[in-house]
Amino acid sequence: MANEITVPLLPCRSIDEIEDFYTMLGFTRTYHQFRPNPYVALEREDLQLHFFGMPGFDPEDSYGTCLVIVPDTRELFEAFAAGMRAVHGRLLISGIPRMTRPRRRKNADGHSGFAVIDPGGNWIRISSARPAPEEESPGRLTTTLHSAVVMGDSHGKHVRAAQILDAALERDRATATPAELLEALAYRAELALRADDSAAAGDALARARALTLSDAERDRLAESLAALDDLEAVLRPAPRP
């Protein structure tokens, strides 16, 4: 049999909260009911997600997750990011809900992936259908960064990921290339924000901004430099009313 369709059915505290969040990401509601059981169906092109409400449900305790395979993780990430910026003025990087950035996944055969953690605490794991281009002889810091990404982005253990990365940054700071350091420091700042550690985030961002990069490196690292802008926007104090 072919042309099957699988639709994840995930828990949440409030179907209205879920609907508002996914509408921000470009989804459209296709079904909605309050009684006898809260239920909402949402879709964005071929991507369908359904949710059921549970009174008293705590998103921190959620084990809800699903895997979505897409041709291009970068395109979908940028679309979601645009929705977040339009509503919140910045990316949602820490807490619940939040979104991680597309990164090569060591535990997914080198495929690029990112995750949306929605208001129900569900992890919508977006993965590329094709592996990312092969890296040319990654250095020690980059190799450790890949391990930290598995811990922080795949398993959600941002404190442990930060510990792994701190040790590598100390060990390899004199031998790593500026490009390697930029990638590692950008991720370290993101991990710090997830842990509500603004001082560590600010320190990592300052170190990243102080790196000397050639024009060619700046072109190649444009996405990482854009990530620094997003991280700095989170640290910026909110304007007074």
Side-chain angles (χ1 to χ4, degrees):
M1 186 181 297
N3 301 315
E4 297 92 340
I5 296 174
T6 300
V7 179
L9 183 54
L10 300 166
C12 66
R13 178 173 52 196
S14 163
I15 58 172
D16 289 337
E17 187 179 30
I18 282 287
E19 182 178 342
D20 288 346
F21 177 79
Y22 281 99
T23 298
M24 174 183 69
L25 301 185
F27 284 73
T28 301
R29 184 181 77 189
T30 59
Y31 181 77
H32 186 273
Q33 78 171 34
F34 281 117
R35 296 182 181 84
N37 302 301
Y39 192 98
V40 65
L42 301 157
E43 70 176 19
R44 186 185 191 278
E45 298 178 336
D46 292 331
L47 176 52
Q48 299 183 55
L49 298 172
H50 291 198
F51 299 88
F52 59 95
M54 295 178 63
F57 180 76
D58 185 351
E60 293 281 356
D61 296 333
S62 178
Y63 286 90
T65 189
C66 70
L67 181 63
V68 178
I69 309 297
V70 299
D72 185 352
T73 55
R74 174 59 53 185
E75 180 180 341
L76 191 58
F77 172 83
E78 291 297 347
F80 287 175
M84 287 183 178
R85 292 189 185 103
V87 173
H88 296 281
R90 58 181 177 83
L91 294 191
L92 302 177
I93 291 172
S94 62
I96 297 177
R98 68 180 183 273
M99 181 170 68
T100 68
R101 301 190 77 87
R103 295 186 177 91
R104 173 189 288 272
R105 296 297 174 86
K106 173 184 172 182
N107 59 336
D109 296 327
H111 290 241
S112 172
F114 72 97
V116 173
I117 296 87
D118 69 23
N122 302 296
W123 283 62
I124 313 302
R125 302 172 188 270
I126 317 292
S127 182
S128 173
R130 298 180 299 276
E134 288 292 330
E135 294 179 303
E136 295 184 7
S137 304
R140 292 180 72 191
L141 181 58
T142 297
T143 299
T144 305
L145 172 61
H146 292 332
S147 296
V149 167
V150 171
M151 189 63 63
D153 286 9
S154 294
H155 301 315
K157 298 184 182 299
H158 48 264
V159 173
R160 180 57 186 141
Q163 292 169 343
I164 292 170
L165 203 49
D166 281 341
L169 283 164
E170 177 64 25
R171 179 195 68 206
D172 301 323
R173 61 182 176 178
T175 57
T177 67
E180 286 185 293
L181 288 167
L182 178 68
E183 299 275 12
L185 288 166
Y187 189 50
R188 181 63 184 91
E190 184 174 329
L191 292 170
L193 288 173
R194 291 186 207 170
D196 295 323
D197 189 345
S198 57
D203 176 70
L205 288 170
R207 291 167 64 188
R209 290 297 191 192
L211 294 169
T212 301
L213 301 170
S214 68
D215 289 341
E217 287 173 325
R218 286 189 173 276
D219 288 342
R220 183 166 59 84
L221 297 166
E223 291 180 4
S224 297
L225 291 168
L228 299 185
D229 295 337
D230 286 327
L231 295 165
E232 287 169 345
V234 176
L235 282 177
R236 228 173 272 136
R240 293 185 178 182

